[in-house]
Amino acid sequence: HIPATDQFMMFMSDRAVWFPLYALIAFFLIKRLGWEKGLISVLCLALTLLVCDQTSNLLKNSVARLRPCYSTQMIFGGLHVLEYRGNFFGFFSAHAANAFGLAVCSSVLFRYDSKHTYKAFIVLIFTWAALLSLSRIFVGKHYLGDVIAGAMIGSGYGALIAMAARWAFAKYIDRKIPAAMEDSSGK
């Protein structure tokens, strides 16, 4: 541990830092997909975060596995705790679930815009999710298993919710366009 990595990992773990990223993603979803699909996409991202957070809270209390920062074996073994300890239980990491849920959901939704590939966005958002998830281990709040489980559960929720949104786009929004074109042509 050196002060620079400690500060960087604490920065990555701070939820307040995420809000500008959320706002930027919401802005570009609306800009790229149009207001109807963009608004649905933003609501899907919010739903993904809500479902990931609530599932994590439910499982943390049900599984009741202590966080490393509360484990005497880990503390006496030299665990370097950088962050306020929080509640006692840590399985699974809500930070990892939220980050990977947002990464998967936004990636799938952006890919609905067939004009762009969004490769750079996909690389950046998954790098951010991985760094954020690893920061939870680094600050002493989670075990590796907590983070892996959170990433898998968040990715699953993100994919399911994004696919539901894409289905809604195809069924309800994209269907309106040909009907409107037929009306204007006089047929």
Side-chain angles (χ1 to χ4, degrees), residues 44 60 100 136 158 177-178:
C44 286
K60 280 179 183 176
F100 275 93
R136 303 308 291 160
I177 294 169

Side-chain angles (χ1 to χ4, degrees), residues 175-187:
R175 182 179 258 185
K176 285 196 256 181
I177 294 169
M181 290 174 72
E182 287 177 14
D183 291 341
S184 64
S185 65
K187 291 183 182 177

Side-chain angles (χ1 to χ4, degrees), residues 22-35:
Y22 293 165
L24 199 60
I25 291 171
F27 171 77
F28 279 109
L29 279 168
I30 292 169
K31 182 177 179 180
R32 294 292 186 178
L33 300 178
W35 75 269

Side-chain angles (χ1 to χ4, degrees), residues 75-184:
I75 301 244
F76 291 129
L79 177 68
H80 188 66
V81 179
L82 296 175
E83 211 175 73
Y84 170 71
R85 290 182 177 193
N87 61 9
F88 288 108
F89 307 126
F91 183 82
F92 61 89
S93 171
H95 280 72
N98 287 337
F100 275 93
L102 181 87
V104 169
C105 189
S106 62
S107 296
V108 170
L109 291 171
F110 270 121
R111 297 289 299 200
Y112 198 78
D113 173 17
S114 60
K115 297 176 203 154
H116 303 89
T117 60
Y118 297 99
K119 288 180 185 175
F121 170 77
I122 292 168
V123 168
L124 286 172
I125 197 75
F126 279 99
T127 300
W128 168 79
L131 283 172
L132 188 150
S133 298
L134 290 174
S135 77
R136 303 308 291 160
I137 299 167
F138 194 90
V139 299
K141 295 285 280 223
H142 289 287
Y143 295 104
L144 179 61
D146 300 344
V147 169
I148 291 171
M152 290 172 50
I153 291 168
S155 295
Y157 280 138
L160 285 172
I161 292 169
M163 294 311 292
R166 288 183 66 146
W167 174 83
F169 294 167
K171 180 131 175 102
Y172 298 108
I173 296 173
D174 292 341
R175 182 179 258 185
K176 285 196 256 181
I177 294 169
M181 290 174 72
E182 287 177 14
D183 291 341
S184 64

